[in-house]
Amino acid sequence: MDVLNGGEKVSLVGNPPEVGEQLPKFKLFNAENQKIKTRDLIGKPTLISTVPDLNTRVCKLETKKFNQQADHYPSVRFVTVSNNTITEQKAWCAAEGVANLEVLSDEELSLGYEMNLYIPNDGFLARTIFIIDAEGKIVYRQIVPEIHDEPNYLEALDVIKKYATEVD
C-alpha cells in the first residue's frame, strides 16, 4: 500500500489489516519500559492512533486532540503509537501535558511490521487510526492518504461513540 509524504508516494511494508480482521500480535513499550502485547490491549474498545513522530506539528495536534477526547469516553482505551524512543515520549508527554491516553513506543517496529504500517524508506509509521472492539476485532480503519494531513477525527469518534454507549 502507498501513502503520500509531502506529495511524494511512499510505500508501506505491506497491506494493513482490514476491518473484520483480528488485531495482529505485536509488542510495544510503555513509559515504564514495560512490554505491552496485543493481548494487553484487548478487553475494552480501543482507539489506536499511529503517528510518524510526536515531535512534529500534525502528530502533536492529533495526539493532543485524542488526549482531550479520552476524558469523554471512560470505557474506551485511547492509545497513540510512534516509533519515538520511550525517553522522547515521556519528555513530550510531560511538556505537552498529555496524561489521558497511553503513548506507547514501537521503537522495535513490531507493530509497524505486523500491521504493515512501517514506511521503510522514511523510517517511521504511517498516520492511521484503528479501532478494535473488546475482543480485538478491527471495527474501523483509517489510513491517512497524506501523512502531513490530520486524520478525520469526527469519523473515528462517531465509531467510538457507538462502542462507548454500549459499555458506559
Side-chain angles (χ1 to χ4, degrees), residues 40-73:
D40 300 320
L41 297 176
I42 295 172
K44 67 194 278 188
T46 302
L47 181 144
I48 302 169
S49 166
T50 66
V51 298
D53 183 348
L54 285 173
N55 295 308
T56 59
R57 186 185 68 78
V58 176
C59 297
K60 175 181 173 178
L61 287 169
E62 179 177 341
T63 304
K64 289 181 84 168
K65 277 192 181 172
F66 283 131
N67 183 62
Q68 293 166 346
Q69 291 298 318
D71 271 350
H72 301 293
Y73 306 101

Side-chain angles (χ1 to χ4, degrees), residues 128-140:
T128 69
I129 299 171
F130 284 84
I131 299 173
I132 60 168
D133 65 13
E135 288 75 46
K137 184 174 79 178
I138 297 168
V139 297
Y140 175 82

Side-chain angles (χ1 to χ4, degrees), residues 36-163:
I36 307 296
K37 295 181 178 182
T38 301
R39 70 172 178 253
D40 300 320
L41 297 176
I42 295 172
K44 67 194 278 188
T46 302
L47 181 144
I48 302 169
S49 166
T50 66
V51 298
D53 183 348
L54 285 173
N55 295 308
T56 59
R57 186 185 68 78
V58 176
C59 297
K60 175 181 173 178
L61 287 169
E62 179 177 341
T63 304
K64 289 181 84 168
K65 277 192 181 172
F66 283 131
N67 183 62
Q68 293 166 346
Q69 291 298 318
D71 271 350
H72 301 293
Y73 306 101
S75 64
V76 177
R77 185 177 195 170
F78 283 75
V79 175
T80 293
V81 178
S82 74
N83 55 324
N84 293 88
T85 67
I86 294 165
T87 304
E88 288 174 318
Q89 289 181 342
K90 283 170 65 170
W92 185 89
C93 287
E96 298 296 333
V98 170
N100 296 335
L101 58 74
E102 296 169 82
V103 178
L104 301 175
S105 176
D106 189 31
E107 189 178 4
E108 294 182 358
L109 303 174
S110 175
L111 175 143
Y113 279 106
E114 293 303 320
M115 290 189 64
N116 294 316
L117 300 178
Y118 184 59
I119 304 170
N121 290 346
D122 291 342
F124 48 71
L125 301 174
R127 184 177 313 284
T128 69
I129 299 171
F130 284 84
I131 299 173
I132 60 168
D133 65 13
E135 288 75 46
K137 184 174 79 178
I138 297 168
V139 297
Y140 175 82
R141 174 184 107 149
Q142 182 182 154
I143 312 293
V144 180
E146 165 59 70
I147 65 169
H148 292 283
D149 292 342
E150 291 181 72
N152 184 335
Y153 301 109
L154 294 178
E155 186 178 272
L157 291 172
D158 281 347
V159 173
I160 284 296
K161 287 174 189 168
K162 293 175 193 170
Y163 284 88

